[in-house]
Amino acid sequence: MAASASPADSPPRRRRHRDDSPRRGDHRKPRQSPSPSPSPSPDRDADRRRRRSRASPPDRDADRRRRGQDPKPSEDNGVAKPSKAEDPPRSRARVSDGEEEDGRRARRPRASDDEKEGDRRRRRPRDSDDGRDDRRGSKRDRDRDRRRRRRSPSSESGSSPDDRRRRHRRDDGSRRREEDRGREERRASPERKEPTPPLPPPPPLPEMIPGRTGGIYIPPFRMAQMLRDVEDKASPEYQRLTWDALKKSINGLVNKVNATNIKNLVPELLAENLVRGRGLFCQSCIKSQMASPGFTDVFAALVAVVNTKFPEIGRLLLVRVMLQLKRAYKRNDKPQLLAATKFIAHLVNQVVVHELVALELLTVLLDNPSDDSVEVAVGFVKECGAILQDLTPQGLHAMFERFRGILHEGEIDKRVQFLIEGLFAIRKAKFQGFPAIRPELDLVEQEDQFTHDMSLETELDPETNLNVFRVNPNFAEDEKAYENLKKSILGEDDEDEEGSDDASDGEDEEESDDEEDEEQMEIRDKTETNLINLRRTIYLTIMSSVDFEEAGHKLLKIKLEPGQEMELNIMLLECCSQERTYLRYYGLLGQRFCMINKVFQENFEKCFVQQYSMIHRLETNKLRNVAKFFAHLLGTDALPWHVLAYIRLTEEDTTSSSRIFIKILFQELSEHLGIRLLNERLNDPNMQESFVSVFPRDHPKNTRFSINFFTSIGLGGITESLREYLKNMPRMIMQQQKPPSPSESESSGGSSDSGSSSQSESSSDESEKKRRKRRKK
C-alpha cells in the first residue's frame, strides 16, 4: 500500500532533474538522436541556420530561457516534474525537426539555373560579411561560455548536450539579427560630422589687461592704434595702456645701454616720464645689473646722469640696493652680495654715494672676517679704491691696516690670503688697471652731481608700490607738467615744431632742401675699417721694400687724408720696436720723411713725448730700439734738440725704464757725433734752456745725481760745466746770503777783478793737471 501511494499524497520533496548528460565515472557516450538523412556539410548547416534566423520570428522561449525563466512553470511550487518517459520525446522532437527540414526541402520547387545563379551572386557579399561576423561572433560566444563555465560549473551540469546546442543556435540567431538590424540602420542613416561651432570673439583689449604683469602681448602698432582710439585720456584703461608702454620702453632702453651708445640713449630715457616710472627704472637697473655685473659701471653712469636731473630717483635706487645688500648679507647669498657691493662701489666712483658709505660697508664686512666676507671686501676695494685714495686716504689706510691684521692672524683660507696680498700689490701700483671712471663714462661734472649719504643701520623704505600700476586722478595734469619739464631738460622749443609745420611751401622747395641735406650729410665710419686698411698697407710696404729709398718712394705714393700723417709715423715706430735688434733702415726712413715734410717732423716730436711718458710699459728690447731710433734722428738733425726738454733727470722724476732710455739715447749720440761734438752741442748757449732739465742746476742734490748718472754710463766728459757749477755753488750761495756794502764794493773792485782772474787761472791749471793724470793712467 505504501508503495502504491500517489506522489501527490506524499509530501513534496526535492527532486533531481534528469538529463542525458553522463554522470561522473560513466564513460558511456551520450545518446544521439537518429537522423534519416546523412549529416550535412558545415557550409550547408551555416546557410540553413542563417535562413532560419531570417525567416523565423524571434523565439520567445529562447529569450525566456536566456533570462533564466521557464516557459511553462509547473504547478507544484514552480518545479518541473520530469519522469523517465519524458526523455524520449525530446529526442523524437529533435528527429522530427530534421524530418520537417528534409520535407520542406523536398517540397520546395526547383528553380531555374539562371535564378540560382542570380541568387548566388546577390548572396556573395552578404555571405562574406556574415561569415566574418559569424566567425567573430562565434569566437566571442566561445569566450563567453568559457567564462560562464568557470563561474558556475554546476549550472550546466544539469543540462543535456542537445539543450546546449539548441540554446547556442538560438543565441547566435538573435545576435545575428541584432547585428543585421544595426548594420541596416547605419546604412540608412550615416553619421554626419557636425561642424564645430566658431569660437566666441575675444573681449576688447583694454579689458584683457587687468592683470598685474600686463596681461597679453600687444604689438606696438596695435598699442599705438588703441592709444589713438581711446577718447577719454584720463580713463583707467588709457592709463593702463600708457603704463605698459612706459614699462616696456624703460626696460628696453636700460637693456640696450652700453659704453658706446649711452650718450644717445640718455635723451631717449629722459623723454620718458621718469617721475611716474621711477620705480620701474630702479627695478630695471637693479635686475639688469644682477644679470650682467660686467656692465655695472655703465648702469652707474646712467644712474649718475638721471640723478643730476631727478635726485629722488637716485636716492630710491640707493635705498633698494642697500636693502638688497642687507638681505644678501643675512642670507649669506654670495652672488647677490657681490653684485650689490659692486653697484655701490661704482656709485661711489660716480659721486652718487658718499665715501663714508663705502667705509662703513668695509667696516661691517671686516668686523667678523670670514672667507666670503673678506673676498667681497677685497673686490669692493679694487672697484672703488682709486677714488677712496683721493677722497679719504686716511680711511683707506685704516682699512688696509685691518686687512694686514687679518693676514697676520692667518685664520682665513690660503686663497683669500693671496687675494689680500694681491690687493696690497694693486695699492702699491696706485690702482693701475682699476680706474675709478672710464673716459667714455665720465658724463657728469662733480659740481652738478647730487651725493646721497645714508647709514646701513637706518630703516629704509623701498617704496615697492611704485612698481605696480595705480589709477591717478590727476593723470592729465601730471603728464602736461612732465612735458614742460622734459622741454626744459632737453632744450626743446615750440619754435622748432612751428617751423616744421610752416616749412612745406612747395614741392620744388622741398626737393631742393632734400638735395642740400644730402650734400651736407657726411658718413663717418666709426668701425675704423679704413684706418685698419691704411695701417695694413703701410706695414706691408715697409716690410716688403728692399731699402729705405724704395720704401719712402712707395709710402709717398699712398694717398693720405689730412690728419692721417700721424699713422705713418706711428707705424714706422711700431715696426722698428718689433724688431729683434735695431735696424738702421728705420732710422734712415724716418730721417727721409722728416727732411721731406715738416709735418712728419712735428709728428715725430709728439711720438717722442708720448713714448717717453709710456716708456715703463715697453719691454727692454723695444725700449732699446726706440731709443736708438730717436738718437739717429737727433744725430742727423732730423729732429730738433729741444725735444730733450721733456726729459727731467732727477731721482724723483725718473724710473728704471726711463733711465735706461736716457742712457741708450746719449750713448748712441756719442757714437754718432763723438764726445767732443756732443759736448759742444750740449754747451751751445742758444739751447741751454732746453738742456736745463737734463743738467739741472736748481738743487745740489739734483746736480750731483745728473753728474753721477752720466759718469756711470761713461759720459762724464759732458758734465764738466756742471761740475764747475757744483764747485762754485757754495760760494754763490754765500754771496747771495751776504750782499757786499757799497764802500766795500768800490774798494774791492780792482782786487776782485785780480782775484777772479787768478782764480780762473788756478782753476784752468787744475783742470789741465787732471787731464794729464788721466792720460797717464
Side-chain angles (χ1 to χ4, degrees):
M1 295 293 291
S4 62
S6 64
D9 297 336
S10 62
R13 59 182 178 178
R14 226 169 156 182
R15 298 180 183 178
R16 293 177 61 187
H17 182 71
R18 293 185 60 190
D19 56 355
D20 294 334
S21 61
R23 298 179 182 177
R24 293 181 183 177
D26 192 358
H27 299 285
R28 292 179 297 176
K29 293 182 180 181
R31 189 168 53 186
Q32 298 179 357
S33 60
S35 59
S37 60
S39 61
S41 63
D43 295 336
R44 289 182 180 178
D45 290 340
D47 292 342
R48 193 183 305 144
R49 284 191 226 104
R50 203 176 299 115
R51 292 192 206 100
R52 188 185 303 160
S53 63
R54 290 173 186 167
S56 61
D59 193 2
R60 298 179 180 176
D61 297 340
D63 293 338
R64 289 177 182 174
R65 291 193 197 97
R66 201 179 304 116
R67 295 171 187 167
Q69 299 176 0
D70 196 358
K72 292 181 180 181
S74 61
E75 296 176 358
D76 298 335
N77 298 327
V79 179
K81 297 178 182 179
S83 61
K84 294 180 181 180
E86 292 178 357
D87 292 343
R90 290 183 182 175
S91 60
R92 285 198 298 271
R94 176 63 182 158
V95 172
S96 63
D97 290 340
E99 291 174 354
E100 287 177 2
E101 184 67 25
D102 293 338
R104 202 179 298 119
R105 195 183 307 147
R107 287 195 300 271
R108 188 175 300 163
R110 290 186 177 182
S112 63
D113 296 337
D114 297 335
E115 292 176 356
K116 291 179 180 179
E117 186 67 22
D119 294 337
R120 195 178 300 111
R121 287 176 182 173
R122 282 193 300 272
R123 271 190 226 119
R124 275 177 187 171
R126 187 180 298 173
D127 292 344
S128 61
D129 295 337
D130 295 339
R132 292 192 202 99
D133 296 336
D134 290 339
R135 284 193 292 273
R136 294 171 186 165
S138 61
K139 192 173 182 180
R140 283 196 296 268
D141 293 336
R142 277 190 238 110
D143 296 337
R144 193 184 300 115
D145 292 338
R146 288 195 197 100
R147 286 195 295 270
R148 286 176 182 172
R149 290 194 199 100
R150 289 172 188 165
R151 291 175 185 170
S152 59
S154 61
S155 61
E156 296 182 358
S157 60
S159 60
S160 61
D162 295 336
D163 294 338
R164 287 198 295 273
R165 288 194 207 99
R166 199 178 297 115
R167 192 181 301 115
H168 184 62
R169 289 171 189 162
R170 288 169 183 169
D171 293 343
D172 290 344
S174 61
R175 181 176 50 75
R176 290 193 201 98
R177 284 195 297 272
E178 293 175 359
E179 291 177 357
D180 293 340
R181 194 180 301 112
R183 198 179 299 114
E184 290 175 0
E185 290 176 357
R186 285 194 298 272
R187 288 173 185 171
S189 59
E191 295 181 359
R192 296 179 181 176
K193 294 182 178 179
E194 298 180 358
T196 56
L199 295 174
L205 286 175
E207 297 180 2
M208 295 178 69
I209 320 176
R212 184 185 173 205
T213 58
I216 64 174
Y217 169 73
I218 303 174
F221 72 92
R222 178 62 176 157
M223 177 70 75
Q225 182 181 0
M226 291 168 59
L227 291 174
R228 288 193 301 269
D229 294 343
V230 175
E231 297 179 356
D232 187 7
K233 300 299 183 181
S235 61
E237 291 81 7
Y238 182 78
Q239 293 186 28
R240 182 59 192 243
L241 290 175
T242 55
W243 174 267
D244 291 338
L246 178 64
K247 183 176 182 180
K248 291 177 183 177
S249 178
I250 291 175
N251 288 337
L253 292 173
V254 172
N255 290 332
K256 285 192 298 184
V257 69
N258 53 42
T260 57
N261 64 0
I262 185 171
K263 294 182 180 179
N264 300 326
L265 288 182
V266 165
E268 297 182 19
L269 184 63
L270 293 176
E272 304 293 336
N273 193 346
L274 290 180
V275 176
R276 185 187 182 197
R278 56 186 182 276
L280 299 176
F281 174 74
C282 297
Q283 183 183 18
S284 181
C285 287
I286 293 173
K287 285 186 177 180
S288 300
Q289 190 268 339
M290 280 289 295
S292 53
F295 290 88
T296 306
D297 53 349
V298 180
F299 296 123
L302 183 65
V303 173
V305 175
V306 175
N307 185 61
T308 57
K309 307 300 179 182
F310 306 100
E312 63 274 5
I313 296 179
R315 181 174 179 79
L316 177 62
L317 185 132
L318 178 60
V319 167
R320 293 190 177 184
V321 174
M322 297 282 279
L323 289 174
Q324 179 186 356
L325 187 144
K326 289 182 180 180
R327 197 180 307 116
Y329 187 76
K330 290 179 181 178
R331 296 176 180 175
N332 199 14
D333 189 355
K334 185 178 177 182
Q336 191 172 2
L337 184 62
L338 284 171
T341 52
K342 192 171 185 179
F343 206 173
I344 292 177
H346 283 283
L347 290 176
V348 171
N349 292 337
Q350 292 285 348
V351 203
V352 177
V353 181
H354 201 272
E355 60 271 12
L356 292 179
V357 178
L359 296 178
E360 183 182 5
L361 178 58
L362 286 174
T363 305
V364 171
L365 291 174
L366 300 178
D367 188 15
N368 296 319
S370 63
D371 294 342
D372 293 337
S373 65
V374 174
E375 183 178 356
V376 171
V378 168
F380 182 78
V381 174
K382 285 181 181 179
E383 297 294 338
C384 64
I387 196 167
L388 292 179
Q389 184 70 33
D390 297 336
L391 298 178
T392 58
Q394 295 180 355
L396 186 64
H397 178 71
M399 292 297 106
F400 271 96
E401 289 299 321
R402 178 58 182 152
F403 277 118
R404 196 187 306 276
I406 294 171
L407 192 61
H408 289 326
E409 291 173 2
E411 296 179 358
I412 57 176
D413 192 15
K414 288 288 184 183
R415 181 182 64 87
V416 185
Q417 294 180 11
F418 287 135
L419 290 177
I420 297 176
E421 292 176 359
L423 181 62
F424 275 97
I426 293 172
R427 182 199 181 189
K428 188 176 181 180
K430 298 181 180 180
F431 293 94
Q432 290 183 2
F434 296 92
I437 304 175
R438 287 191 284 170
E440 59 269 20
L441 297 178
D442 192 4
L443 306 175
V444 182
E445 297 293 336
Q446 290 189 2
E447 295 79 12
D448 301 335
Q449 189 61 268
F450 288 90
T451 305
H452 303 281
D453 186 10
M454 61 180 64
S455 176
L456 293 171
E457 299 178 356
T458 57
E459 295 182 1
L460 305 173
D461 183 16
E463 300 183 30
T464 54
N465 57 342
L466 297 176
N467 301 342
V468 185
F469 167 73
R470 290 189 178 184
V471 179
N472 185 9
N474 302 325
F475 177 73
E477 293 79 2
D478 293 346
E479 289 293 323
K480 290 180 181 178
Y482 190 80
E483 284 294 329
N484 298 329
L485 181 62
K486 180 178 70 174
K487 291 177 182 178
S488 64
I489 293 174
L490 300 178
E492 298 178 358
D493 297 330
D494 297 335
E495 298 176 359
D496 299 338
E497 299 177 359
E498 295 175 358
S500 63
D501 295 336
D502 299 336
S504 58
D505 294 337
E507 296 180 357
D508 299 335
E509 295 179 0
E510 290 179 358
E511 292 178 358
S512 62
D513 294 340
D514 295 339
E515 292 177 358
E516 291 178 0
D517 294 340
E518 290 179 359
E519 292 177 358
Q520 293 177 358
M521 186 188 306
E522 295 181 1
I523 299 175
R524 295 182 180 179
D525 184 13
K526 293 187 177 182
T527 59
E528 297 183 352
T529 305
N530 297 334
L531 184 60
I532 294 172
N533 293 333
L534 175 63
R535 290 178 178 178
R536 185 185 294 113
T537 304
I538 295 172
Y539 173 77
L540 294 176
T541 304
I542 293 172
M543 302 305 292
S544 62
S545 299
V546 177
D547 56 356
F548 73 96
E549 294 180 350
E550 179 185 353
H553 183 69
K554 289 181 179 179
L555 290 174
L556 288 175
K557 285 185 176 181
I558 298 175
K559 294 182 179 180
L560 299 175
E561 296 181 1
Q564 289 185 344
E565 293 84 0
M566 189 68 177
E567 299 298 328
L568 182 60
N569 298 74
I570 293 174
M571 287 304 301
L572 184 60
L573 194 59
E574 286 292 329
C575 293
C576 178
S577 65
Q578 294 294 333
E579 296 290 343
R580 292 185 179 179
T581 57
Y582 172 71
L583 299 179
R584 195 163 174 265
Y585 164 83
Y586 295 102
L588 294 172
L589 188 58
Q591 176 188 353
R592 176 63 57 90
F593 279 108
C594 289
M595 297 297 183
I596 289 174
N597 195 346
K598 193 175 181 180
V599 176
F600 294 107
Q601 188 179 17
E602 294 175 355
N603 290 336
F604 275 121
E605 291 182 24
K606 296 177 182 178
C607 290
F608 181 86
V609 177
Q610 185 179 4
Q611 289 293 330
Y612 184 75
S613 62
M614 300 170 59
I615 202 69
H616 58 277
R617 299 185 182 180
L618 298 180
E619 299 176 0
T620 306
N621 189 31
K622 293 182 179 180
L623 189 148
R624 182 181 294 107
N625 293 341
V626 172
K628 289 184 177 181
F629 176 80
F630 284 113
H632 180 90
L633 296 183
L634 289 171
T636 56
D637 289 331
L639 198 65
W641 283 62
H642 63 77
V643 296
L644 297 178
Y646 296 105
I647 299 176
R648 180 166 176 79
L649 187 57
T650 60
E651 187 176 1
E652 293 80 9
D653 297 328
T654 57
T655 60
S656 59
S657 300
S658 62
R659 286 193 286 270
I660 293 172
F661 177 81
I662 298 170
K663 168 190 171 184
I664 298 172
L665 180 69
F666 278 91
Q667 285 178 347
E668 288 292 317
L669 285 174
S670 65
E671 290 181 5
H672 277 289
L673 304 175
I675 191 68
R676 183 180 61 81
L677 187 58
L678 177 61
N679 197 6
E680 291 178 0
R681 184 69 62 87
L682 293 176
N683 291 326
D684 188 359
N686 297 327
M687 299 293 295
Q688 290 302 314
E689 294 181 358
S690 302
F691 302 147
V692 170
S693 59
V694 181
F695 304 101
R697 302 186 180 189
D698 54 349
H699 196 275
K701 177 183 176 183
N702 298 334
T703 306
R704 197 175 294 110
F705 179 82
S706 177
I707 294 172
N708 294 336
F709 174 78
F710 284 108
T711 305
S712 63
I713 64 175
L715 298 176
I718 63 176
T719 62
E720 289 183 0
S721 60
L722 200 62
R723 290 173 186 271
E724 292 294 333
Y725 177 79
L726 185 62
K727 236 183 239 183
N728 298 329
M729 186 176 290
R731 190 180 306 161
M732 295 174 62
I733 294 173
M734 293 293 293
Q735 291 177 359
Q736 291 176 0
Q737 289 179 355
K738 295 181 179 180
S741 62
S743 60
E744 293 178 356
S745 61
E746 291 178 358
S747 62
S748 62
S751 63
S752 62
D753 295 337
S754 61
S756 61
S757 61
S758 63
Q759 287 178 1
S760 61
E761 292 176 358
S762 62
S763 62
S764 61
D765 295 339
E766 290 178 0
S767 61
E768 289 179 0
K769 290 179 181 178
K770 289 180 180 179
R771 288 176 185 174
R772 290 172 186 172
K773 289 180 182 179
R774 288 177 185 174
R775 289 174 184 173
K776 289 179 182 180
K777 289 179 180 179

